[in-house]
C-alpha cells in the first residue's frame, strides 16, 4: 500500500522539477531578448543623433553635412552603456558605422551604417 502512494508523489516531484527548469530557461531567454532590444534601441538613438548632427551647421556645433569628424562627445553619448560598448568606425563624408558589442555576450554585436537619410543594418 505504501509503494502505491509513493509513486504518484515521485511522479509529481519530477513534473514540478521539469516545470521549474523550463521556467528558468524561458526567463533566461527573455532576459537575453530584453538585452538585445535595449542594445538595438541605444544604437538607433545614437544613429538618429548622428543624423541630426550631420545636418546641423558647423556654427551651431554640427557636422556641416559630413560625418568625418563625428565623435561620441559631440553626440553627448557615453559609449559604455549598462548593456553594451558602442564604437564608431568608417567615418566618411556621407556615412559612419556604429557598432554595439554586448557586455553579457561578446559574440553578440549589432552594426548600423548610418547615412544622412537612412540606416542600414550590417551583417
Amino acid at each position: 500500500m505504501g509503494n502505491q502512494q509513493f509513486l504518484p508523489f515521485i511522479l509529481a516531484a519530477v513534473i514540478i522539477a521539469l516545470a521549474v527548469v523550463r521556467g528558468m530557461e524561458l526567463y533566461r531567454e527573455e532576459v537575453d531578448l530584453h538585452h538585445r532590444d535595449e542594445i538595438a534601441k541605444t544604437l538607433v538613438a545614437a544613429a538618429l543623433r548622428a543624423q541630426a548632427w550631420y545636418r546641423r551647421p558647423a556654427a551651431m556645433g554640427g557636422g556641416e553635412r559630413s560625418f568625418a569628424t563625428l565623435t561620441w562627445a559631440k553626440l553627448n553619448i557615453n559609449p559604455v552603456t549598462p548593456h553594451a560598448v558602442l564604437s564608431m568606425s568608417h567615418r566618411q563624408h556621407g556615412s559612419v558605422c556604429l557598432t554595439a558589442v554586448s557586455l553579457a555576450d561578446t559574440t553578440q554585436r549589432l552594426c548600423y551604417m548610418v547615412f544622412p537619410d537612412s540606416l542600414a543594418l550590417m551583417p
Side-chain angles (χ1 to χ4, degrees):
M1 183 78 167
N3 288 339
Q4 290 175 349
Q5 293 173 349
F6 191 62
L7 187 60
F9 176 74
I10 295 294
L11 185 60
V14 168
I15 290 172
I16 290 171
L18 291 174
V20 168
V21 168
R22 181 63 182 145
M24 290 171 42
E25 289 173 359
L26 288 174
Y27 176 75
R28 202 171 308 122
E29 289 172 10
E30 191 65 31
V31 167
D32 289 344
L33 182 61
H34 174 71
H35 283 262
R36 282 193 296 267
D37 287 347
E38 287 299 316
I39 292 169
K41 286 179 195 176
T42 301
L43 204 55
V44 168
L48 293 176
R49 282 188 182 195
Q51 287 176 333
W53 182 84
Y54 170 89
R55 288 183 179 87
R56 194 173 308 125
M60 298 176 67
E64 192 78 28
R65 303 267 180 214
S66 175
F67 290 112
T69 60
L70 183 63
T71 64
W72 293 114
K74 290 178 181 177
L75 295 180
N76 197 24
I77 293 175
N78 183 359
V80 179
T81 69
H83 301 290
V85 175
L86 308 177
S87 64
M88 191 181 299
S89 61
H90 300 86
R91 284 175 241 168
Q92 300 172 357
H93 181 72
S95 65
V96 64
C97 183
L98 303 180
T99 305
V101 178
S102 173
L103 292 173
D105 179 10
T106 57
T107 62
Q108 187 179 43
R109 53 179 59 228
L110 184 63
C111 180
Y112 280 108
M113 187 60 96
V114 181
F115 300 100
D117 58 352
S118 63
L119 300 174
L121 182 61
M122 302 303 288

